[in-house]
mmCIF file of all heavy atoms in Angstrom:
data_model
loop_
_atom_site.group_PDB
_atom_site.id
_atom_site.type_symbol
_atom_site.label_atom_id
_atom_site.label_comp_id
_atom_site.label_asym_id
_atom_site.label_seq_id
_atom_site.Cartn_x
_atom_site.Cartn_y
_atom_site.Cartn_z
ATOM 1 N N CYS A 29 -39.404 9.426 10.059
ATOM 2 C CA CYS A 29 -38.289 10.193 9.497
ATOM 3 C C CYS A 29 -37.564 10.982 10.639
ATOM 4 O O CYS A 29 -38.259 11.642 11.436
ATOM 5 C CB CYS A 29 -38.789 11.162 8.459
ATOM 6 S SG CYS A 29 -39.148 10.312 6.866
ATOM 7 N N GLY A 30 -36.306 11.017 10.626
ATOM 8 C CA GLY A 30 -35.626 11.769 11.531
ATOM 9 C C GLY A 30 -35.497 11.092 13.030
ATOM 10 O O GLY A 30 -34.754 11.579 13.866
ATOM 11 N N GLN A 31 -36.200 9.993 13.255
ATOM 12 C CA GLN A 31 -36.271 9.424 14.560
ATOM 13 C C GLN A 31 -35.062 8.524 14.747
ATOM 14 O O GLN A 31 -34.425 8.582 15.823
ATOM 15 C CB GLN A 31 -37.469 8.515 14.649
ATOM 16 C CG GLN A 31 -38.871 9.299 14.591
ATOM 17 C CD GLN A 31 -38.924 10.214 15.737
ATOM 18 O OE1 GLN A 31 -38.606 9.928 16.845
ATOM 19 N NE2 GLN A 31 -39.464 11.441 15.509
ATOM 20 N N LYS A 32 -34.570 7.767 13.756
ATOM 21 C CA LYS A 32 -33.467 6.866 13.907
ATOM 22 C C LYS A 32 -32.344 7.425 13.094
ATOM 23 O O LYS A 32 -32.457 7.778 11.926
ATOM 24 C CB LYS A 32 -33.877 5.489 13.336
ATOM 25 C CG LYS A 32 -32.783 4.460 13.496
ATOM 26 C CD LYS A 32 -33.227 3.120 12.968
ATOM 27 C CE LYS A 32 -32.211 2.107 13.163
ATOM 28 N NZ LYS A 32 -32.612 0.743 12.616
ATOM 29 N N GLN A 33 -31.207 7.612 13.772
ATOM 30 C CA GLN A 33 -29.958 8.175 13.173
ATOM 31 C C GLN A 33 -29.223 7.076 12.449
ATOM 32 O O GLN A 33 -28.952 6.003 12.994
ATOM 33 C CB GLN A 33 -29.144 8.858 14.088
ATOM 34 C CG GLN A 33 -27.979 9.570 13.565
ATOM 35 C CD GLN A 33 -27.257 10.414 14.624
ATOM 36 O OE1 GLN A 33 -27.465 10.075 15.749
ATOM 37 N NE2 GLN A 33 -26.443 11.330 14.111
ATOM 38 N N GLN A 34 -28.911 7.293 11.175
ATOM 39 C CA GLN A 34 -28.134 6.292 10.452
ATOM 40 C C GLN A 34 -26.809 6.908 10.035
ATOM 41 O O GLN A 34 -26.686 8.072 9.764
ATOM 42 C CB GLN A 34 -28.931 5.892 9.151
ATOM 43 C CG GLN A 34 -30.142 5.170 9.415
ATOM 44 C CD GLN A 34 -30.830 4.844 8.114
ATOM 45 O OE1 GLN A 34 -30.397 5.258 7.010
ATOM 46 N NE2 GLN A 34 -31.906 4.091 8.087
ATOM 47 N N THR A 35 -25.780 6.095 10.172
ATOM 48 C CA THR A 35 -24.465 6.545 9.706
ATOM 49 C C THR A 35 -24.246 6.108 8.290
ATOM 50 O O THR A 35 -24.350 4.863 8.019
ATOM 51 C CB THR A 35 -23.427 6.045 10.678
ATOM 52 O OG1 THR A 35 -23.737 6.402 12.007
ATOM 53 C CG2 THR A 35 -22.028 6.493 10.336
ATOM 54 N N VAL A 36 -23.897 7.088 7.480
ATOM 55 C CA VAL A 36 -23.577 6.791 6.179
ATOM 56 C C VAL A 36 -22.115 7.164 5.700
ATOM 57 O O VAL A 36 -21.766 8.263 5.984
ATOM 58 C CB VAL A 36 -24.546 7.506 5.114
ATOM 59 C CG1 VAL A 36 -24.213 7.264 3.652
ATOM 60 C CG2 VAL A 36 -26.039 7.150 5.462
ATOM 61 N N GLY A 37 -21.408 6.137 5.325
ATOM 62 C CA GLY A 37 -19.964 6.470 5.085
ATOM 63 C C GLY A 37 -19.665 6.339 3.645
ATOM 64 O O GLY A 37 -20.589 5.925 2.907
ATOM 65 N N SER A 38 -18.537 6.753 3.270
ATOM 66 C CA SER A 38 -18.255 6.709 1.810
ATOM 67 C C SER A 38 -17.765 5.244 1.572
ATOM 68 O O SER A 38 -17.291 4.609 2.397
ATOM 69 C CB SER A 38 -17.071 7.680 1.524
ATOM 70 O OG SER A 38 -15.992 7.435 2.347
ATOM 71 N N ALA A 39 -17.846 4.980 0.287
ATOM 72 C CA ALA A 39 -17.305 3.568 -0.024
ATOM 73 C C ALA A 39 -15.867 3.468 0.118
ATOM 74 O O ALA A 39 -15.126 4.417 0.015
ATOM 75 C CB ALA A 39 -17.687 3.289 -1.577
ATOM 76 N N PRO A 40 -15.437 2.235 0.562
ATOM 77 C CA PRO A 40 -13.926 2.155 0.700
ATOM 78 C C PRO A 40 -13.184 2.438 -0.653
ATOM 79 O O PRO A 40 -13.828 2.149 -1.737
ATOM 80 C CB PRO A 40 -13.782 0.679 1.025
ATOM 81 C CG PRO A 40 -14.971 -0.060 0.663
ATOM 82 C CD PRO A 40 -16.076 1.029 0.711
ATOM 83 N N PRO A 41 -11.994 2.935 -0.567
ATOM 84 C CA PRO A 41 -11.277 3.181 -1.808
ATOM 85 C C PRO A 41 -10.987 1.918 -2.516
ATOM 86 O O PRO A 41 -10.831 0.843 -1.851
ATOM 87 C CB PRO A 41 -9.988 3.889 -1.283
ATOM 88 C CG PRO A 41 -9.828 3.531 0.043
ATOM 89 C CD PRO A 41 -11.216 3.154 0.650
ATOM 90 N N PRO A 42 -10.865 1.940 -3.796
ATOM 91 C CA PRO A 42 -10.594 0.692 -4.584
ATOM 92 C C PRO A 42 -9.225 0.230 -4.237
ATOM 93 O O PRO A 42 -8.294 1.041 -3.770
ATOM 94 C CB PRO A 42 -10.572 1.129 -6.061
ATOM 95 C CG PRO A 42 -10.505 2.620 -5.971
ATOM 96 C CD PRO A 42 -10.946 3.091 -4.758
ATOM 97 N N PRO A 43 -9.005 -1.082 -4.300
ATOM 98 C CA PRO A 43 -7.659 -1.595 -3.817
ATOM 99 C C PRO A 43 -6.520 -0.986 -4.658
ATOM 100 O O PRO A 43 -6.681 -0.776 -5.910
ATOM 101 C CB PRO A 43 -7.758 -3.109 -4.122
ATOM 102 C CG PRO A 43 -9.100 -3.382 -4.636
ATOM 103 C CD PRO A 43 -9.830 -2.137 -4.747
ATOM 104 N N LYS A 44 -5.451 -0.646 -4.039
ATOM 105 C CA LYS A 44 -4.329 -0.058 -4.576
ATOM 106 C C LYS A 44 -3.545 -1.136 -5.444
ATOM 107 O O LYS A 44 -3.310 -2.116 -4.976
ATOM 108 C CB LYS A 44 -3.400 0.566 -3.510
ATOM 109 C CG LYS A 44 -2.129 1.298 -4.078
ATOM 110 C CD LYS A 44 -1.380 1.858 -2.864
ATOM 111 C CE LYS A 44 -0.404 0.864 -2.417
ATOM 112 N NZ LYS A 44 0.709 1.334 -1.575
ATOM 113 N N LYS A 45 -3.211 -0.779 -6.661
ATOM 114 C CA LYS A 45 -2.406 -1.609 -7.502
ATOM 115 C C LYS A 45 -1.042 -1.736 -7.005
ATOM 116 O O LYS A 45 -0.384 -0.710 -6.754
ATOM 117 C CB LYS A 45 -2.411 -1.209 -8.961
ATOM 118 C CG LYS A 45 -1.720 -2.078 -9.937
ATOM 119 C CD LYS A 45 -1.836 -1.681 -11.307
ATOM 120 C CE LYS A 45 -1.053 -2.639 -12.213
ATOM 121 N NZ LYS A 45 -0.875 -2.139 -13.519
ATOM 122 N N PRO A 46 -0.489 -2.964 -6.682
ATOM 123 C CA PRO A 46 0.963 -3.017 -6.242
ATOM 124 C C PRO A 46 1.846 -2.460 -7.242
ATOM 125 O O PRO A 46 1.800 -2.657 -8.421
ATOM 126 C CB PRO A 46 1.151 -4.526 -6.036
ATOM 127 C CG PRO A 46 -0.200 -5.216 -6.172
ATOM 128 C CD PRO A 46 -1.097 -4.204 -6.875
ATOM 129 N N ASP A 47 2.906 -1.762 -6.632
ATOM 130 C CA ASP A 47 3.929 -1.242 -7.541
ATOM 131 C C ASP A 47 5.015 -2.297 -7.867
ATOM 132 O O ASP A 47 4.834 -3.404 -7.486
ATOM 133 C CB ASP A 47 4.584 0.060 -6.940
ATOM 134 C CG ASP A 47 5.333 -0.147 -5.602
ATOM 135 O OD1 ASP A 47 5.582 -1.402 -5.346
ATOM 136 O OD2 ASP A 47 5.557 0.707 -4.882
ATOM 137 N N ALA A 48 5.979 -1.853 -8.594
ATOM 138 C CA ALA A 48 6.965 -2.852 -9.094
ATOM 139 C C ALA A 48 7.677 -3.556 -7.867
ATOM 140 O O ALA A 48 7.902 -4.793 -7.933
ATOM 141 C CB ALA A 48 8.078 -2.212 -9.860
ATOM 142 N N PHE A 49 8.008 -2.811 -6.790
ATOM 143 C CA PHE A 49 8.641 -3.348 -5.676
ATOM 144 C C PHE A 49 7.750 -4.332 -4.947
ATOM 145 O O PHE A 49 8.115 -5.490 -4.606
ATOM 146 C CB PHE A 49 9.125 -2.376 -4.694
ATOM 147 C CG PHE A 49 9.557 -2.972 -3.383
ATOM 148 C CD1 PHE A 49 10.691 -3.814 -3.325
ATOM 149 C CD2 PHE A 49 8.933 -2.733 -2.235
ATOM 150 C CE1 PHE A 49 11.106 -4.436 -2.109
ATOM 151 C CE2 PHE A 49 9.303 -3.229 -1.026
ATOM 152 C CZ PHE A 49 10.390 -4.176 -0.946
ATOM 153 N N GLU A 50 6.461 -4.082 -4.774
ATOM 154 C CA GLU A 50 5.547 -4.903 -4.039
ATOM 155 C C GLU A 50 5.250 -6.191 -4.827
ATOM 156 O O GLU A 50 5.235 -7.238 -4.284
ATOM 157 C CB GLU A 50 4.222 -4.213 -3.784
ATOM 158 C CG GLU A 50 4.344 -2.998 -2.672
ATOM 159 C CD GLU A 50 3.179 -2.049 -2.665
ATOM 160 O OE1 GLU A 50 2.418 -2.039 -3.707
ATOM 161 O OE2 GLU A 50 2.956 -1.411 -1.731
ATOM 162 N N GLN A 51 5.193 -6.128 -6.146
ATOM 163 C CA GLN A 51 5.010 -7.202 -6.982
ATOM 164 C C GLN A 51 6.292 -8.213 -6.909
ATOM 165 O O GLN A 51 6.118 -9.403 -6.666
ATOM 166 C CB GLN A 51 4.818 -6.835 -8.499
ATOM 167 C CG GLN A 51 3.500 -6.232 -8.718
ATOM 168 C CD GLN A 51 3.392 -5.734 -10.110
ATOM 169 O OE1 GLN A 51 4.282 -5.814 -10.932
ATOM 170 N NE2 GLN A 51 2.271 -5.087 -10.435
ATOM 171 N N ARG A 52 7.493 -7.587 -6.921
ATOM 172 C CA ARG A 52 8.740 -8.403 -6.756
ATOM 173 C C ARG A 52 8.754 -9.037 -5.482
ATOM 174 O O ARG A 52 9.130 -10.203 -5.400
ATOM 175 C CB ARG A 52 9.847 -7.476 -7.202
ATOM 176 C CG ARG A 52 11.291 -8.027 -6.925
ATOM 177 C CD ARG A 52 11.526 -9.149 -7.900
ATOM 178 N NE ARG A 52 12.872 -9.669 -7.709
ATOM 179 C CZ ARG A 52 13.410 -10.784 -8.162
ATOM 180 N NH1 ARG A 52 12.620 -11.510 -8.975
ATOM 181 N NH2 ARG A 52 14.637 -11.182 -8.001
ATOM 182 N N ALA A 53 8.531 -8.260 -4.385
ATOM 183 C CA ALA A 53 8.603 -8.814 -3.047
ATOM 184 C C ALA A 53 7.677 -9.949 -2.845
ATOM 185 O O ALA A 53 7.998 -11.063 -2.240
ATOM 186 C CB ALA A 53 8.335 -7.723 -1.965
ATOM 187 N N ASP A 54 6.392 -9.830 -3.305
ATOM 188 C CA ASP A 54 5.485 -10.956 -3.214
ATOM 189 C C ASP A 54 5.881 -12.142 -4.033
ATOM 190 O O ASP A 54 5.878 -13.296 -3.576
ATOM 191 C CB ASP A 54 4.080 -10.475 -3.888
ATOM 192 C CG ASP A 54 3.328 -9.566 -2.939
ATOM 193 O OD1 ASP A 54 3.612 -9.579 -1.734
ATOM 194 O OD2 ASP A 54 2.405 -8.864 -3.415
ATOM 195 N N GLN A 55 6.623 -11.945 -5.181
ATOM 196 C CA GLN A 55 7.139 -13.007 -6.020
ATOM 197 C C GLN A 55 8.249 -13.721 -5.173
ATOM 198 O O GLN A 55 8.302 -14.918 -5.179
ATOM 199 C CB GLN A 55 7.705 -12.475 -7.286
ATOM 200 C CG GLN A 55 8.404 -13.497 -8.180
ATOM 201 C CD GLN A 55 9.215 -12.885 -9.364
ATOM 202 O OE1 GLN A 55 9.754 -11.819 -9.129
ATOM 203 N NE2 GLN A 55 9.179 -13.539 -10.472
ATOM 204 N N ILE A 56 9.112 -12.964 -4.587
ATOM 205 C CA ILE A 56 10.179 -13.582 -3.744
ATOM 206 C C ILE A 56 9.740 -14.378 -2.601
ATOM 207 O O ILE A 56 10.114 -15.459 -2.318
ATOM 208 C CB ILE A 56 11.172 -12.434 -3.226
ATOM 209 C CG1 ILE A 56 12.000 -11.911 -4.494
ATOM 210 C CG2 ILE A 56 12.159 -12.937 -2.202
ATOM 211 C CD1 ILE A 56 12.793 -10.739 -4.082
ATOM 212 N N VAL A 57 8.676 -13.902 -1.920
ATOM 213 C CA VAL A 57 8.042 -14.477 -0.736
ATOM 214 C C VAL A 57 7.431 -15.896 -1.193
ATOM 215 O O VAL A 57 7.666 -16.885 -0.589
ATOM 216 C CB VAL A 57 7.090 -13.619 -0.100
ATOM 217 C CG1 VAL A 57 6.239 -14.398 1.019
ATOM 218 C CG2 VAL A 57 7.832 -12.468 0.580
ATOM 219 N N ARG A 58 6.694 -15.825 -2.287
ATOM 220 C CA ARG A 58 6.108 -17.032 -2.872
ATOM 221 C C ARG A 58 7.095 -18.122 -3.300
ATOM 222 O O ARG A 58 6.833 -19.333 -3.201
ATOM 223 C CB ARG A 58 5.170 -16.687 -4.033
ATOM 224 C CG ARG A 58 3.864 -16.186 -3.664
ATOM 225 C CD ARG A 58 2.873 -16.167 -4.842
ATOM 226 N NE ARG A 58 3.361 -15.580 -6.002
ATOM 227 C CZ ARG A 58 3.382 -14.293 -6.274
ATOM 228 N NH1 ARG A 58 2.837 -13.516 -5.524
ATOM 229 N NH2 ARG A 58 3.842 -13.930 -7.442
ATOM 230 N N HIS A 59 8.191 -17.721 -3.885
ATOM 231 C CA HIS A 59 9.121 -18.660 -4.612
ATOM 232 C C HIS A 59 10.492 -18.807 -3.901
ATOM 233 O O HIS A 59 11.326 -19.457 -4.446
ATOM 234 C CB HIS A 59 9.403 -18.207 -6.097
ATOM 235 C CG HIS A 59 8.076 -18.149 -6.863
ATOM 236 N ND1 HIS A 59 7.353 -19.270 -7.116
ATOM 237 C CD2 HIS A 59 7.372 -17.110 -7.365
ATOM 238 C CE1 HIS A 59 6.213 -18.893 -7.785
ATOM 239 N NE2 HIS A 59 6.267 -17.606 -7.954
#
Side-chain angles (χ1 to χ4, degrees):
C29 286
Q31 298 294 322
K32 185 176 180 183
Q33 189 175 16
Q34 295 180 354
T35 303
V36 178
S38 59
K44 181 178 93 166
K45 183 178 178 186
D47 64 17
F49 169 65
E50 291 167 336
Q51 290 173 2
R52 174 66 174 167
D54 286 339
Q55 176 191 39
I56 290 171
V57 169
R58 278 192 313 273
H59 301 293

